[in-house]
Amino acid sequence: MTSLVPYAFDLLDSRSGYPAGIRDPRWQQAVFAAGGDPERVADAAARAITDLCRELRAAGHTAGTGEAAETLRLACDLARLRGLPAPGRGELLEAVTTVLGQGEPLGRGRALARALETVLVGAERGRVTAAAPRSGLGPAVEAELAELRLPCPGEPAPKELRLDPLRSTLDGRREVALRRLLVCGAGYGEPVEVSGTGDGSALSTRWRVAWTPAVPARLDLAGVRGVTPAQAAAGTLRETYRRESADGGPTCRLILDNLRDAARCDLPELVADRLAEAAVTLPATATLAELLDALDLLEALRREHLPGTTPEAREEAAELAASLLEAAVRALPGLAGGDRPEDAAALVALAARAGEERLGLRMAETLATLARTASPLVQGAALAARVLLDLDDAATLGVRAAGWVDTATGPQGRRRLGMLLTGVLTAAGPLLRSAPAALGPLMDRVDGLSDTEFLDRLPALRGGFDTLTPADRGRLLETVSERLGDRPDLTLSAPPALLGLWAAADAAGLAAVRALGLPVPDGDGGAEPPAEDAPAPVPGTRAGGHRLAPADRWRLLLGREAERLPAGARPYARALDELYGAGRGEGADGFGTGEGAGTDGSFPTAREWAEELESLFGAEVREEVLGSAAEAGRTDVLAELDPDSVRPSVELLTSVLSLAGGMPEQRLAKLRPLVRRLVAELTRELATRLRPAMTGLATPRPTHRPGGRLDLPRTLRANLPHTRRLDDGRLVIVPERPVFGARTRREADWRLILVVDVSGSMEASVVWSALTASVLAGVPTLSTHFLAFSTQVIDLTERVADPLSLLLEVRVGGGTHIAAGLARARALVTVPSRTLVVVVSDFEEGGPVGGLLGEVRALAGSGVHLLGCAALDDEGVPRYSLPIAQQLVAAGMPVAALSPLALAHWVGDRLRGGYR
């Protein structure tokens, strides 16, 4: 009984009491162990006080029976004053420290602390007997696990399960139980990722489950939120939702995650609550990615793929899905500047949903706009989506693709070609195989190119088609080979005896043709091919010819069947395989593709690969391939880029900076000359364009009052009417009204605060923002501040004059919290009417939108000049969240996609307006 006293007092405190505290299973267990009677708990308190007095006497302090009785009386009086049936731990400690401690923090106080540790904590360990009554979450979970034949205290051995909850009732119950324990943090089951077939989602699940000693301890902690798994899971989800949405309201991601967990845990009431909140929040503030995720989740609820649904919830989910689909179509223009394959896949998925829901007219108009004005990748995806929705025919897409090949004559054109093909093939990969009208013009254009023209475009073509999986590229090559009439590789299937007969017949036929003096064509209908060991000519050293057969060209650009290429073409395939490898997805391991791995060794060093690229493709294409390798994460190729001969571009600088962040200082030192050259050239080009927009800002005002330096040009123009001719014929201007330049103050009259989003999708805009800030920092009447933010804010103003140092300091990646960046900017405002705050972001706010809108309203209300840049680059095609941008405009922040020159004009107009 004595060993249970600390546990009883720990749980019976002044906040719960009895019988209200009976709802706490731990308190209930302790009271049952003490006999179930509060009077016996009070008796335990008396024995604890007696033990304390004994410990104090052993330490040499006086503590008699009278003091013990007074301590017990005070503890009981405190309990009665607080409406408790028996003194809890709080009352006991107050009484002990008042009576036995006698107000001495040292000496007797220390002895009392040691005695309290001995009595209330003790040194013994044990566990409650199995015969003691139990209640709460732990016993309920153990009973449910035993019923579902899952690991439990009786059978704790770990298991790995594959569940099919939509087909098996038992698996459905197991899935719900495991999801509830996962939400409660019991540490019982761990889900294993399962991939679906094709683009579909997996309906089965895999789990690793085990009953460990940590599980009952964690169940005791989760038991404060409910005595059944359903109650504990619901309580945990509600508490998480309430805690994370305390500041500014819930985010869209929080609502979706909570809704998904509630549905998986079979909690219909919580599902109904989250659906109601989703109907209010998602249409107005969700990003396109969140809207697509919500549509998938609502579809699963409507089809009863998740257990926590009712007929009313399914009907509400269907209505909400229709509303969110319209919101997603309205937000689609914000995808115009996308440069990731995921953006193309999202566009096609949304187009398919809109077609099913009869939103084709609005979708057709949006796709037409994107096909004209979006980034190359999104343009290609939009064109493919129009073909899939029967808005355009496949021949139109084929003609457009052939035109892309024609215009790929320079670095920008080749990069555009690769991105366009990536968008088309990401959106509709099988389209080229299933639609001959789409493949025909592209085949004709590839076949019609000279060898030099084809090899110049080969890296871009290979990069575009590398979007397809290796198996898809192999199937496309089969389709192309059939249309070209390419000879099949009979050596893979014909027996040797039959091959011998075929070879003899071919030799006899060839001899007969030659005896007649007739020309001997090759397998592709052209002239007799060169010898197998004759190397292909290097670009730039030959006239435009057609020595590469059409089928070999497609083997090169698809990266398949390299063993069937002539010897002169194999170095090209090998050089590009060094960049693109075997590919990703189906067939990446070479299994089932009918293709050997080859015997050629890989390039041992980046230097040898770079030299091979230059000898095959030329210096210009070599830089493009090495730049693509840098974007893919290869840091060894950066040392092969010559700082003096490399072509400066924001794309290359972005790639170099993204890799420089993870380099040791020794390798970074070798990279600095390249970065310094790129930054210097780009800054010089940008400054040349921006300075005219900023002229006149620091010009002294003209005045007729003496005191400043004489303004000779203005004086001459103002006194031209006072011209006199001298006797010798010379003209003299008499300055009756001289014009002087007024002295100007050198301190900064205006403050520009650039608040730059450095999350993962803002690489190019971050580079342009840093370069623009460095140029604007040279304006005498302008004080420029640079704030970089993701989920945290960093003030890099001290480095703004050195763009190289600034770019090396910025680390791109992470989430987005625009409100935090604006809050820091608001702290820098001293004179609102002479402060410019420019936010460069995609506006996909990771925090509550309410906090962001509040910061914007506070800045706009104070008189600060606000501007939101959805993109800051030379193309001006943004990728941003359109719903949030519209709310920012309504709150007082204009939003636009600007080039650095347009931003400089905006700043110059504001500064000039302030001087009028």
Side-chain angles (χ1 to χ4, degrees):
M1 178 64 191
T2 305
S3 63
L4 294 176
V5 171
Y7 195 38
F9 282 121
D10 184 46
L11 297 170
L12 179 60
D13 58 18
S14 59
R15 291 174 295 175
S16 57
Y18 181 89
I22 199 70
R23 290 192 297 269
D24 188 334
R26 296 177 301 171
W27 184 92
Q28 186 181 26
Q29 183 176 347
V31 172
F32 279 137
D37 187 352
E39 294 183 0
R40 298 192 60 182
V41 176
D43 293 341
R47 287 196 296 274
I49 293 172
T50 303
D51 293 341
L52 281 171
C53 294
R54 185 182 305 113
E55 293 291 334
L56 287 174
R57 288 196 298 271
H61 296 275
T62 58
T65 305
E67 292 175 321
E70 181 61 21
T71 302
L72 180 60
R73 183 195 65 77
L74 180 57
C76 293
D77 290 345
L78 289 174
R80 282 193 294 271
L81 288 173
R82 294 167 181 171
L84 301 176
R89 181 171 181 168
E91 289 73 30
L92 178 63
L93 289 176
E94 289 182 38
V96 166
T97 53
T98 301
V99 178
L100 299 181
Q102 298 180 2
E104 296 183 14
L106 302 177
R108 188 180 185 91
R110 291 180 176 178
L112 179 60
R114 287 192 294 268
L116 284 171
E117 181 179 357
T118 301
V119 174
L120 296 184
V121 179
E124 297 182 2
R125 295 185 179 182
R127 57 185 177 185
V128 179
T129 175
R134 297 184 62 199
S135 67
L137 182 59
V141 168
E142 293 174 11
E144 184 175 3
L145 294 179
E147 182 182 357
L148 297 176
R149 301 194 298 275
L150 294 174
C152 57
E155 297 180 2
K159 291 183 180 180
E160 186 165 338
L161 307 171
R162 177 177 284 275
L163 304 180
D164 193 349
L166 298 181
R167 295 183 180 179
S168 170
T169 304
L170 178 61
D171 284 357
R173 294 176 58 197
R174 286 177 168 179
E175 177 75 15
V176 170
L178 293 175
R179 290 290 178 184
R180 288 172 175 174
L181 293 178
L182 182 65
V183 165
C184 292
Y188 176 74
E190 177 186 359
V192 180
E193 184 178 358
V194 178
S195 301
T197 303
D199 294 333
S201 58
L203 298 180
S204 61
T205 60
R206 290 180 58 194
W207 292 83
R208 295 191 186 99
V209 296
W211 183 271
T212 62
V215 174
R218 293 181 176 179
L219 289 177
D220 285 343
L221 295 176
V224 298
R225 303 184 185 98
V227 295
T228 65
Q231 292 178 359
T236 301
L237 289 176
R238 291 184 187 276
E239 181 180 346
T240 302
Y241 187 82
R242 183 170 55 252
R243 181 178 65 251
E244 296 185 5
S245 61
D247 298 330
T251 63
C252 297
R253 177 54 54 191
L254 177 60
I255 293 175
L256 290 176
D257 291 343
N258 211 264
L259 174 60
R260 182 180 291 106
D261 290 337
R264 287 174 173 175
C265 294
D266 194 9
L267 304 172
E269 294 182 359
L270 192 56
V271 168
D273 294 343
R274 296 298 169 260
L275 282 175
E277 296 187 8
V280 175
T281 306
L282 295 184
T285 61
T287 63
L288 186 58
E290 291 168 343
L291 289 172
L292 291 174
D293 188 15
L295 289 171
D296 291 337
L297 177 57
L298 294 174
E299 183 70 10
L301 290 174
R302 189 176 67 83
R303 294 181 179 273
E304 299 184 68
H305 290 173
L306 297 176
T309 59
T310 60
E312 294 79 9
R314 290 192 292 272
E315 182 178 355
E316 186 177 354
E319 295 176 355
L320 179 57
S323 174
L324 294 184
L325 185 58
E326 293 183 3
V329 174
R330 291 195 300 268
L332 196 56
L335 202 65
D339 58 355
R340 298 175 297 181
E342 294 82 1
D343 297 330
L347 187 149
V348 174
L350 182 57
R353 287 183 179 273
E356 294 175 359
E357 299 295 333
R358 299 180 180 180
L359 293 175
L361 184 60
R362 182 181 300 171
M363 193 70 193
E365 182 180 355
T366 303
L367 290 177
T369 303
L370 292 176
R372 293 192 309 270
T373 62
S375 65
L377 184 140
V378 177
Q379 281 188 30
L383 289 170
R386 287 183 62 85
V387 175
L388 294 177
L389 295 177
D390 291 330
L391 299 172
D392 291 333
D393 54 12
T396 302
L397 179 61
V399 173
R400 295 286 296 271
W404 301 336
V405 177
D406 282 341
T407 57
T409 56
Q412 293 297 331
R414 288 189 287 267
R415 183 176 180 85
R416 176 179 172 82
L417 171 62
M419 297 300 290
L420 285 166
L421 289 176
T422 299
V424 169
L425 298 174
T426 301
L431 185 62
L432 294 183
R433 289 192 296 110
S434 60
L439 182 60
L442 185 59
M443 289 181 59
D444 295 339
R445 198 55 46 90
V446 171
D447 298 347
L449 295 172
S450 66
D451 286 350
T452 302
E453 293 171 338
F454 170 74
L455 292 175
D456 286 344
R457 294 164 172 80
L458 177 58
L461 291 169
R462 176 69 188 275
F465 279 95
D466 193 64
T467 304
L468 299 174
T469 64
D472 282 337
R473 283 185 274 127
R475 288 188 282 266
L476 179 58
L477 181 59
E478 293 176 2
T479 302
V480 172
S481 300
E482 291 177 2
R483 298 193 62 184
L484 292 174
D486 189 47
R487 292 191 302 267
D489 189 0
L490 301 175
T491 60
L492 298 179
S493 57
L498 182 58
L499 289 175
L501 293 176
W502 286 341
D506 286 342
L510 180 62
V513 171
R514 286 177 173 170
L516 296 174
L518 298 175
V520 180
D522 64 356
D524 296 305
E528 187 171 0
E532 230 358 75
D533 57 350
V538 176
T541 63
R542 63 171 185 271
H546 289 77
R547 299 185 63 180
L548 280 172
D552 292 336
R553 294 186 176 196
W554 282 92
R555 292 187 181 102
L556 284 172
L557 67 88
L558 291 175
R560 310 305 289 167
E561 297 184 359
E563 73 281 355
R564 297 189 62 186
L565 290 170
R570 290 177 186 173
Y572 296 94
R574 178 174 173 233
L576 294 179
D577 285 342
E578 184 72 12
L579 172 60
Y580 296 107
R584 304 168 300 279
E586 182 186 2
D589 55 356
F591 179 76
T593 61
E595 182 176 356
T599 58
D600 293 336
S602 61
F603 290 97
T605 64
R607 179 180 296 277
E608 294 181 8
W609 182 39
E611 293 174 353
E612 184 78 2
L613 287 172
E614 185 169 2
S615 65
L616 292 173
F617 297 102
E620 189 175 65
V621 178
R622 164 189 174 271
E623 286 185 10
E624 297 173 21
V625 175
L626 293 181
S628 299
E631 291 180 9
R634 288 195 57 169
T635 59
D636 56 340
V637 303
L638 297 177
E640 305 307 319
L641 294 174
D642 185 5
D644 296 329
S645 61
V646 70
R647 184 179 61 85
S649 67
V650 172
E651 292 80 13
L652 179 59
L653 179 58
T654 301
S655 303
V656 173
L657 291 173
S658 65
L659 298 176
M663 284 187 176
E665 184 59 32
Q666 182 179 5
R667 296 188 63 185
L668 185 60
K670 298 179 180 179
L671 193 62
R672 285 184 184 274
L674 173 62
V675 181
R676 186 178 295 107
R677 163 89 196 295
L678 293 174
V679 172
E681 288 293 331
L682 292 172
T683 305
R684 183 160 44 250
E685 294 176 6
L686 183 62
T688 303
R689 288 181 288 164
L690 295 190
R691 286 195 184 106
M694 309 299 293
T695 53
L697 299 181
T699 303
R701 300 181 186 181
T703 180
H704 295 288
R705 295 180 180 179
R709 179 176 297 181
L710 178 67
D711 191 339
L712 184 59
R714 291 180 182 271
T715 300
L716 292 175
R717 287 195 298 269
N719 291 274
L720 285 176
H722 308 293
T723 304
R724 298 179 183 178
R725 186 178 296 274
L726 300 179
D727 295 337
D728 56 2
R730 291 180 299 165
L731 293 177
V732 177
I733 298 177
V734 179
E736 294 185 0
R737 299 188 64 188
V739 180
F740 300 91
R743 293 178 178 176
T744 58
R745 293 175 300 173
R746 302 302 299 175
E747 66 267 17
D749 292 334
W750 284 79
R751 175 170 292 181
L752 171 64
I753 305 174
L754 278 172
V755 186
V756 182
D757 184 356
V758 294
S759 60
S761 59
M762 297 295 296
E763 295 93 341
S765 290
V766 169
V767 172
W768 282 113
S769 300
L771 298 180
T772 304
S774 66
V775 174
L776 296 180
V779 178
T781 56
L782 190 65
S783 172
T784 304
H785 296 259
F786 192 96
L787 302 180
F789 73 91
S790 54
T791 52
Q792 296 182 346
V793 186
I794 302 176
D795 192 341
L796 299 175
T797 302
E798 61 182 10
R799 300 181 182 272
V800 75
D802 183 4
L804 174 61
S805 176
L806 178 59
L807 286 171
L808 290 176
E809 189 72 21
V810 172
R811 294 291 179 266
V812 178
T816 305
H817 194 8
I818 310 173
L822 288 177
R824 179 69 68 85
R826 187 153 57 90
L828 296 175
V829 175
T830 54
V831 182
S833 61
R834 288 183 173 266
T835 303
L836 311 174
V837 176
V838 179
V839 181
V840 182
S841 175
D842 56 7
F843 301 111
E844 294 186 352
E845 173 71 336
V849 178
L852 171 60
L853 297 178
E855 290 292 340
V856 171
R857 293 190 184 101
L859 287 168
S862 66
V864 172
H865 300 269
L866 290 172
L867 178 65
C869 290
L872 187 64
D873 55 32
D874 266 3
E875 297 180 359
V877 181
R879 183 194 182 281
Y880 67 109
S881 173
L882 186 59
I884 295 181
Q886 291 173 342
Q887 294 193 57
L888 292 177
V889 172
M893 176 190 286
V895 176
L898 300 178
S899 65
L901 181 58
L903 177 60
H905 278 299
W906 182 83
V907 173
D909 291 342
R910 295 301 179 279
L911 267 62
R912 293 188 190 96
Y915 287 120
R916 293 192 185 103

